Amino acid sequence: MERKSYPTDLTDMEWEILAPLIPPAKEGGHPPTTDMGEICNSIYYHLKTGCQWNMLPGDFPPRSTVYSYYRKWQGQGVWEKFNHTLGGQVRSELGKSTQPTALAADSQSVNTDQKKGMCMVLTDVKR
């Protein structure tokens, strides 16, 4: 039986891009029996809807399996690889460099050790 399609599901093209970034299974262990594309679809559903892990629809893989992969990939930096890769693809399609060349930050976004309202300026002062 085929599962229901969700708006958060990866397209075939997205999966083609992301599949090589998924770490291989450990050697010598039990071979994986869960479709990694379905794991990704489950995680994206969770992230987009904000549902609790135990509220994932029943047609996804078991929530304990999905959560286990989510945490493992989080520690391995897989999500950052996904974001950089897909972000680069989008920028490339827009005719831009795959890496941004500028950064904007405001005082609300930057943590400092200074008291509220004070700004630290670094200069090269000769005495």
Side-chain angles (χ1 to χ4, degrees), residues 1 11 13 39 45 63 65 75 77-78 81 83 92-93 97 101 106 109 114 119-120 122 124:
M1 180 172 101
T11 65
M13 187 186 311
I39 294 292
Y45 179 91
R63 67 179 182 253
T65 304
V78 173
K81 290 178 194 171
N83 285 334
S92 181
E93 288 176 15
S97 167
T101 56
D106 62 29
S109 304
Q114 304 301 311
C119 178
M120 185 170 76
L122 299 176
D124 210 8

Side-chain angles (χ1 to χ4, degrees), residues 34 52 102 108 117:
T34 305
Q52 296 172 341
Q108 298 292 318

Side-chain angles (χ1 to χ4, degrees), residues 2-43:
E2 226 174 282
R3 80 161 174 81
K4 175 183 170 183
S5 175
Y6 295 97
T8 54
D9 285 353
L10 293 169
T11 65
D12 290 340
M13 187 186 311
E14 290 168 333
W15 177 240
E16 217 173 280
I17 294 166
L18 297 181
L21 302 176
I22 294 176
K26 291 183 203 173
E27 287 187 34
H30 190 277
T33 56
T34 305
D35 179 352
M36 292 298 113
E38 285 301 297
I39 294 292
C40 288
N41 286 333
S42 304
I43 292 169

Side-chain angles (χ1 to χ4, degrees), residues 24-95:
K26 291 183 203 173
E27 287 187 34
H30 190 277
T33 56
T34 305
D35 179 352
M36 292 298 113
E38 285 301 297
I39 294 292
C40 288
N41 286 333
S42 304
I43 292 169
Y44 285 130
Y45 179 91
H46 163 75
L47 294 173
K48 183 67 176 178
T49 64
C51 75
Q52 296 172 341
W53 288 107
N54 65 350
M55 303 281 290
L56 281 175
D59 50 357
F60 282 131
R63 67 179 182 253
S64 58
T65 304
V66 174
Y67 181 72
S68 173
Y69 276 102
Y70 173 76
R71 292 292 295 169
K72 180 167 60 170
W73 292 348
Q74 188 176 38
Q76 295 173 340
V78 173
W79 299 116
E80 287 82 9
K81 290 178 194 171
F82 280 11
N83 285 334
H84 289 294
T85 301
L86 289 178
Q89 290 282 331
V90 169
R91 291 183 59 82
S92 181
E93 288 176 15
L94 294 173

